[in-house]
Amino acid sequence: GEDGSVDTDKLKQSMRLKGLPPPGPGYLPYEGDGGADSRPSTTQKLKDARSLVRKSICGERKLDMTNSAYTGDLSAAEILTALGEEVRDTASSTTKAGTMILTWDLANNATISTIGREWLDALTNISVLDVTQNKLSSLPENLHERSIRTLLCGRNQLSSMSVQRTICVDPVSDMAQKLEHLDLSANQLEWVPDGLFALSSLRTLNLSHNKIKDLTWEKQDDEEGEETAPNRGWKHGLVALVQLDLSNNQIADLGFMPLALSGCKGLRILQLNNNNLDDIPLELGCLKQLTTINLAGNPQKGVRTSVLSESCEVILEYLFNKMDSLDVSRVEEQHRAIEAALVSPPDSEGGEGEGGESGPHVDTTTSEGQNTTVENDESPTLEWLEEQTGSDAASVSDEERLMQKENSIRGLKLKIEDMSERLEQLSLSQSKR
């Protein structure tokens, strides 16, 4: 105006003619006058979609659809159209825009419940997918066809069965071979699908804040005329794993996991805090590869809270020292059986052991040429491992067991006497000073 003031109504109208505000915080929502003419036209929507896609195929090639107003079934026809349009890839060739995008960020929309397969049909080369904090009860059925390396699905409504049907559906798929980071925290998982163990390159697995009650291995029986239920629980595999988070569940039984993790030589972080463990398996003390372990917040009484607040090295040493020599020998034998299961191909007899029970088989034909994926649906359960190592244990008489325990006690007494002598010498030297 003449007095130097700004006519905000005219300014808003001028800005609206330039298109919708960009997504993300810090911008006022679109304001119309309530009439049909105030809403963006289909032409304007397509123009905005093309602008978004053009930005997405530059730089880090990320399609950012976070903090948007999408609800229910993800429907944005204009963006799908723009993704399918031809753009110049090189000076002499063109390609569809969607094929150039490597990251799709759909996080923090809160109300998206379904993503159709047409989106992944358009985004054929994405390696990162973030759908954190939505209301997804399922994932696109063609998800496993993409070579995704990072999949972030935390804070949704995914069930164990939906994970099995989408993420774990095909053990030889591109995603099963290449997925490195998987976040399924804060969903509705009640058990661990066995298909997860086909993810041969997985480095980080976050299953925290779910409803998992135990990790005991359960092999489901096939019922004629019904859909085959997946096996569930924890078994050997995931040899590339570096970080595992199972905190804040309802786990009362770790099952085979304390032994199975011996096959994960690169495992550094293990989070089991805030569960329902009445006992902490001493076998965890043999996982010397760990640098961080959290067992706090469980109802167990066997290990003092003061010990659990110590460093990982101290906790592992405490658990290890509570085992006698026979326990240590048994665990070491079982570790060797697990390692053999992970590196040995199926035998010509179909893996039949004594008694006709199948031993663990392993896929030896991964893309990296490593023996990393458990091929069959069996797991070397505690019973199977005891069969493999039981012959040696059975040959030890009660007298020999007693002698071994006495030797262990004698060794501890000698250590205590040695420490007492050192303390006495130290006390004398200090008193002389």
Side-chain angles (χ1 to χ4, degrees), residues 256 259 334 337-338 380-390:
F256 177 62
L259 292 171
Q334 291 172 333
I338 291 167
T381 60
L382 292 176
E383 291 79 7
W384 184 86
L385 284 171
E386 287 171 358
E387 285 182 4
Q388 307 308 304
T389 59

Side-chain angles (χ1 to χ4, degrees), residues 321-365:
N321 288 338
K322 290 192 74 174
M323 293 189 291
D324 60 31
S325 58
L326 289 177
D327 289 332
V328 173
S329 297
R330 171 183 55 81
V331 172
E332 289 175 348
E333 285 292 326
Q334 291 172 333
H335 284 185
R336 284 192 285 271
I338 291 167
E339 291 176 10
L342 290 169
V343 300
S344 300
D347 59 42
S348 58
E349 299 297 324
E352 294 282 333
E354 291 185 12
E357 293 187 8
S358 297
H361 288 178
V362 180
D363 181 5
T364 58
T365 57

Side-chain angles (χ1 to χ4, degrees), residues 174-369:
D174 285 344
M175 190 174 73
Q177 298 297 319
K178 296 181 180 179
L179 188 62
E180 296 181 2
H181 307 285
L182 176 59
D183 182 2
L184 292 168
S185 62
N187 276 279
Q188 303 292 323
L189 275 67
E190 295 184 348
W191 38 270
V192 178
D194 78 319
L196 285 179
F197 297 90
L199 306 178
S200 58
S201 298
L202 198 64
R203 294 174 56 81
T204 63
L205 176 59
N206 188 349
L207 299 174
S208 66
H209 294 88
N210 277 284
K211 299 178 179 180
I212 302 171
K213 295 180 174 61
D214 68 72
L215 301 179
T216 54
W217 179 255
E218 296 181 17
K219 190 172 185 295
Q220 304 299 305
D221 295 327
D222 298 341
E223 296 186 14
E224 188 175 351
E226 295 186 8
E227 182 180 1
T228 302
N231 299 329
R232 59 194 63 181
W234 202 273
K235 66 177 182 179
H236 60 318
L238 297 179
V239 297
L241 203 60
V242 175
Q243 181 172 345
L244 173 60
D245 192 345
L246 281 159
S247 64
N248 296 282
N249 277 279
Q250 303 167 24
I251 301 172
D253 190 345
L254 295 179
F256 177 62
M257 192 193 74
L259 292 171
L261 292 181
S262 66
C264 306
K265 301 300 184 183
L267 185 65
R268 296 294 179 264
I269 300 174
L270 177 60
Q271 306 281 7
L272 291 169
N273 49 297
N274 300 323
N275 278 288
N276 290 337
L277 295 175
D278 289 328
D279 296 294
I280 294 178
L282 300 181
E283 291 88 348
L284 290 173
C286 296
L287 301 178
K288 303 299 185 182
Q289 72 270 37
L290 294 177
T291 58
T292 300
I293 186 171
N294 193 341
L295 296 163
N298 284 285
Q300 62 83 33
K301 303 296 183 183
V303 183
R304 297 189 306 274
T305 304
S306 58
V307 173
L308 296 181
S309 62
E310 294 284 352
S311 67
C312 177
E313 183 180 3
V314 171
I315 295 172
L316 296 181
E317 184 178 5
Y318 178 87
L319 295 175
F320 182 83
N321 288 338
K322 290 192 74 174
M323 293 189 291
D324 60 31
S325 58
L326 289 177
D327 289 332
V328 173
S329 297
R330 171 183 55 81
V331 172
E332 289 175 348
E333 285 292 326
Q334 291 172 333
H335 284 185
R336 284 192 285 271
I338 291 167
E339 291 176 10
L342 290 169
V343 300
S344 300
D347 59 42
S348 58
E349 299 297 324
E352 294 282 333
E354 291 185 12
E357 293 187 8
S358 297
H361 288 178
V362 180
D363 181 5
T364 58
T365 57
T366 60
S367 58
E368 293 80 13

Side-chain angles (χ1 to χ4, degrees), residues 14-79:
S14 174
M15 294 299 291
R16 279 197 294 270
L17 292 175
K18 297 181 179 181
L20 295 175
Y27 298 95
L28 292 173
Y30 178 78
E31 296 179 1
D33 59 8
D37 294 339
S38 67
R39 293 190 294 270
S41 65
T42 301
T43 303
Q44 183 62 49
K45 288 182 179 179
L46 183 57
K47 180 180 178 181
D48 295 336
R50 285 170 174 161
S51 176
L52 173 65
V53 170
R54 288 194 190 98
K55 292 177 182 178
S56 301
I57 62 178
C58 299
E60 59 182 358
R61 298 191 178 185
K62 175 180 179 180
L63 177 58
D64 190 345
M65 295 173 63
T66 60
N67 299 294
S68 302
Y70 304 113
T71 60
D73 185 9
L74 180 59
S75 178
E78 293 81 9
I79 296 180

Side-chain angles (χ1 to χ4, degrees), residues 112-130:
I112 294 177
S113 59
T114 309
I115 301 173
R117 63 173 298 136
E118 64 273 10
W119 287 96
L120 294 186
D121 286 339
L123 300 167
T124 56
N125 291 319
I126 59 169
S127 60
V128 178
L129 174 58
D130 188 350

